[in-house]
Amino acid sequence: MSLSVTHSLTLTGLTAAAVDVEVHLANGLPSFTLVGRPIRK
C-alpha cells in the first residue's frame, strides 16, 4: 500500500486554483475510483 501526493494548478477562467492530487496504490483487482473535493487555500 502506498500513497502519492502531487500539487498542481487548474485554470478557472483567468484565475489559477491550487489542486492536490492523491493516489493510493494497492494489490487486488484492477479498479478506478475518482473522488473529488474542492479545497480553498
Side-chain angles (χ1 to χ4, degrees):
M1 173 171 55
S2 87
L3 179 68
S4 178
V5 179
T6 186
H7 308 286
S8 185
L9 297 173
T10 185
L11 290 178
T12 305
L14 297 176
T15 305
V19 176
D20 293 336
V21 179
E22 296 181 2
V23 178
H24 174 256
L25 301 174
N27 293 331
L29 296 173
S31 67
F32 181 83
T33 304
L34 179 64
V35 178
R37 182 177 62 130
I39 299 174
R40 297 203 177 234
K41 293 183 179 181

